[in-house]
């Protein structure tokens, strides 16, 4: 396994060993909500920056947004700390004949071309466990935006840490997610899953820490760095991004 951008040996990351099943499990778990959210996010991005501009997709996962954006003509840089997730993204891009620039490393570590828009959505910042790293990550996002560039951020709501809407008990997927609360808004996330995709049976367990970030902390860090919140456009009731914690900022 290659070293990280800081030349430290790679440490196993959340999702690494079940990245191959991530799309199946997430599609199955979130269904229509997931597809609407993807559609709404893609539409919002297209209204904010034109195709052919550069987008940095931080915590790109398996490419839920990276791949369609690349298809629409955006130059997408996919920053992802999980080797397993990035490998799946790269395989999907190659299969679809799409040109995407992958970067394996954290948001804070990223060094490379600047972009016109940055994304950090679908619980990405919950994986950042301390305020210093959150601040360094936001600062690095700011540093890698062109002047006037946009930052679409999702701050996961407290609700996501209190409910377990992700438990499934069906014939081809049995999934249990448990969140154990600790001090300082830290949680242990434990997932046990088994299922069948195509003819393949799979089973995995994963356990990692996540953190709830109150929006006041997030806003105060972003303001300190120099981001301006540009719009509350997602608050219309018909917008799929309403009440999702999505906010748009500008450099
Ligand atoms: C739930 S997935 C969401 C993926 C994608 N953003 C989406 O909307 O489908 C969160 C991803 O963020 C990645 N991630 C979390 N913290 C990160 C960080 N500091 N730097 C880079 N990637 C990170 C995780 O490895 C994981 O693949």
């Amino acid at each position: 396994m290659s070293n990280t951008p800081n030349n430290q040996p790679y440490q196993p990351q959340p999702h690494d060993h079940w990245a191959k099943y991530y799309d199946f499990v997430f599609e199955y778990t979130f269904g229509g909500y997931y597809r609407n959210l993807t559609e709404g996010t893609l539409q919002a991005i297209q209204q904010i920056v034109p195709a052919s501009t550069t987008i940095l997709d931080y915590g790109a996962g398996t490419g839920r947004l990276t791949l369609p954006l690349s298809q629409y003509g955006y130059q997408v840089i996919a920053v992802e700390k999980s080797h397993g997730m990035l490998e799946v993204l790269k395989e999907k891009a190659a299969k679809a004949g799409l040109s995407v620039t992958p970067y394996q490393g954290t948001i804070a570590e990223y060094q490379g071309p600047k972009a016109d828009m940055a994304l950090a959505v679908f619980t990405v910042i919950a994986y950042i466990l301390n305020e210093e790293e959150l601040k360094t990550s936001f600062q690095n996002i700011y540093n890698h935006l062109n002047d006037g560039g946009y930052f679409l951020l999702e701050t996961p709501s407290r609700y996501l840490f209190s409910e377990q809407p992700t438990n499934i008990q069906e014939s081809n997927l049995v999934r249990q997610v448990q969140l154990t609360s600790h001090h300082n808004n830290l949680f242990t996330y434990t997932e046990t899953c088994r299922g069948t995709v195509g003819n393949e049976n799979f089973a995995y367990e994963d356990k990692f820490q996540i953190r709830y970030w109150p929006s006041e902390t997030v806003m105060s860090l972003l303001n300190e760095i120099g981001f301006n919140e540009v719009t509350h456009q997602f608050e219309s009731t018909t917008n799929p991004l309403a009440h999702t914690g999505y906010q748009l900022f500008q450099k």
Side-chain angles (χ1 to χ4, degrees):
M1 183 83 55
S2 59
N3 279 3
T4 63
N6 286 340
N7 238 9
Q8 299 296 317
Y10 181 80
Q11 299 294 329
Q13 295 296 323
H15 307 295
D16 263 345
H17 61 287
W18 55 280
K20 191 177 162 193
Y21 308 111
Y22 173 94
D23 285 350
F24 172 76
V25 171
F26 270 56
E27 294 255 0
Y28 204 104
T29 305
F30 298 109
Y33 168 77
Y34 200 48
R35 285 189 288 276
N36 277 347
L37 188 66
T38 303
E39 202 40 53
T41 310
L42 292 170
Q43 271 173 21
I45 293 167
Q46 287 172 290
Q47 283 161 14
I48 297 161
V49 288
S52 88
T53 54
T54 302
I55 297 185
L56 266 159
D57 187 5
Y58 290 103
T62 58
R64 182 176 68 94
L65 299 171
T66 291
L67 299 184
L69 288 170
S70 167
Q71 202 162 24
Y72 299 159
Y74 293 95
Q75 309 294 311
V76 191
I77 305 166
V79 177
E80 173 51 60
K81 68 175 183 164
S82 155
H83 175 81
M85 295 290 267
L86 197 62
E87 283 303 303
V88 171
L89 182 151
K90 287 181 348 194
E91 272 170 35
K92 284 163 66 180
K95 243 189 213 163
L98 295 170
S99 161
V100 166
T101 307
Y103 181 95
Q104 195 200 316
T106 66
I107 300 172
E109 288 166 337
Y110 173 73
Q111 293 298 330
K114 289 186 175 185
D116 305 292
M117 185 162 188
L119 315 174
V121 300
F122 212 74
T123 72
V124 171
I125 65 166
Y127 294 70
I128 297 178
L129 302 180
N130 66 73
E131 194 167 321
E132 199 188 323
E133 186 180 347
L134 187 64
K135 185 171 179 189
T136 314
S137 302
F138 286 156
Q139 183 67 62
N140 205 30
I141 291 174
Y142 188 87
N143 294 348
H144 286 90
L145 275 177
N146 293 322
D147 289 342
Y150 293 95
F151 176 29
L152 182 65
L153 171 68
E154 181 229 2
T155 303
S157 77
R158 188 73 180 71
Y159 169 80
L160 287 179
F161 297 81
S162 56
E163 299 288 318
Q164 271 100 67
T166 41
N167 288 348
I168 309 255
Q169 182 94 32
E170 290 189 18
S171 59
N172 58 344
L173 188 70
V174 179
R175 182 179 191 222
Q176 278 208 312
V177 173
Q178 198 188 350
L179 284 167
T180 314
S181 168
H182 308 292
H183 67 291
N184 263 349
N185 291 323
L186 282 162
F187 294 79
T188 301
Y189 175 104
T190 313
E191 168 164 354
T192 315
C193 187
R194 65 188 149 80
T196 310
V197 53
N199 291 328
E200 193 187 349
N201 295 326
F202 66 88
Y204 64 82
E205 282 181 27
D206 205 357
K207 189 177 198 165
F208 51 90
Q209 301 284 110
I210 53 173
R211 185 163 177 173
Y212 163 66
W213 291 105
S215 62
E216 306 80 62
T217 308
V218 168
M219 288 304 290
S220 137
L221 292 174
L222 293 170
N223 285 335
E224 210 181 305
I225 288 164
F227 277 108
N228 296 307
E229 188 174 5
V230 287
T231 173
H232 296 283
Q233 67 180 0
F234 308 132
E235 290 315 315
S236 113
T237 47
T238 52
N239 192 314
L241 301 189
H243 312 298
T244 51
Y246 281 58
Q247 285 168 290
L248 186 64
F249 299 89
Q250 195 171 18
K251 177 169 176 177

